Amino acid sequence: MPTYLTPALAWRRLREGNERFVSGESLHPNQDAARRSSLLESQNPFAVIFGCSDSRLAAEIIFDLGLGDAFVVRTAGQVIDDAVLGSLEYSISALHVPLIVILGHDSCGAVQATKSAVETGEMPAGFIRDLVERITPSVLTAKRNDQEDVNDMVVEHVKQTASRLADSSRVISDAIEEGRVAVIGLSYKLDEGRAALVSGIGQV
């Protein structure tokens, strides 16, 4: 049975979980054997979280969630590719998830590598180059706005990633237009554990 949460209620549930995590009062819900058994036949997550792969950014922990609560997609620097778009479209069309969360964080290594490449003109080797190329527009926009701090660049990248999702995917843009789905951008602070809202598309 799909979740019947609205995008706004889904965001509230995430926000409340993050507040518990920040204050050290996590409940660790939906993590027992009974929950595991109840999910054998189907899953009905209430949010899809597309975040950076950074080991300090474990989505279920920082939002105090359990099994079956969130559909999670992660790449370094939350970089979009076809597999990411396909995964997000699946969460919307097959799982009827009402909320897409773009999750960036301060001191992001992928954004820092891109900042260095832009400033030195030296591109990294291998497939890291692909990450840097995809993050470069965000870094250039931040620099044009006189934002030289890597954490400001992270916020810009979160905003651009959210916009790019809505622009690139007809499945996602149609769902936003119909009010079924919203996309929010969050920036996570490693020191305090708080995920702050930095952008929103749709009704939240």
Side-chain angles (χ1 to χ4, degrees):
M1 192 172 76
T3 178
Y4 289 108
L5 289 182
T6 62
L9 286 172
W11 166 223
R12 189 167 102 187
R13 191 164 159 191
L14 283 182
R15 207 164 55 235
E16 288 169 352
N18 184 234
E19 287 296 337
R20 292 194 299 272
F21 172 70
V22 169
S23 61
E25 296 170 0
S26 294
L27 300 174
H28 310 289
N30 298 330
Q31 295 181 18
D32 58 6
R35 175 66 167 183
R36 193 173 69 228
S37 300
S38 75
L39 293 167
L40 283 175
E41 301 302 323
S42 64
Q43 58 168 323
N44 300 294
F46 71 89
V48 54
I49 299 170
F50 172 39
C52 181
S53 300
D54 192 292
S55 62
R56 299 163 290 182
L57 204 65
E60 287 88 349
I61 295 175
I62 68 174
F63 293 110
D64 195 23
L65 302 173
L67 298 172
D69 288 335
F71 190 83
V72 180
V73 181
R74 297 173 72 179
T75 61
Q78 72 274 358
V79 162
I80 297 172
D81 61 16
D82 290 351
V84 167
L85 285 171
S87 300
L88 295 177
E89 288 188 351
Y90 174 78
S91 74
I92 300 301
S93 55
L95 303 177
H96 310 291
V97 171
L99 185 68
I100 299 174
V101 178
I102 313 299
L103 182 63
H105 65 98
D106 53 13
S107 307
C108 180
V111 176
Q112 182 63 59
T114 306
K115 179 178 188 284
S116 297
V118 166
E119 289 171 354
T120 64
E122 292 175 27
M123 289 295 276
F127 284 97
I128 298 174
R129 181 186 186 120
D130 186 60
L131 295 177
V132 164
E133 285 174 350
R134 290 169 192 260
I135 299 171
T136 294
S138 303
V139 169
L140 291 175
T141 300
K143 282 179 156 296
R144 269 200 307 274
N145 294 331
D146 296 321
Q147 295 174 322
E148 296 294 334
D149 185 84
V150 70
N151 295 338
D152 291 330
M153 293 174 177
V154 167
V155 170
E156 180 60 37
H157 184 51
V158 168
K159 291 176 180 175
Q160 287 204 19
T161 303
S163 300
R164 206 166 297 142
L165 278 185
D167 291 343
S168 304
S169 166
R170 172 55 68 85
V171 170
I172 294 172
S173 62
D174 284 353
I176 293 169
E177 225 164 271
E178 291 161 16
R180 290 186 288 114
V181 171
V183 180
I184 59 171
L186 304 180
S187 184
Y188 179 80
K189 295 204 177 309
L190 295 172
D191 56 353
E192 57 182 274
R194 192 178 304 278
L197 186 70
V198 295
S199 73
I201 304 169
Q203 297 164 7
V204 280

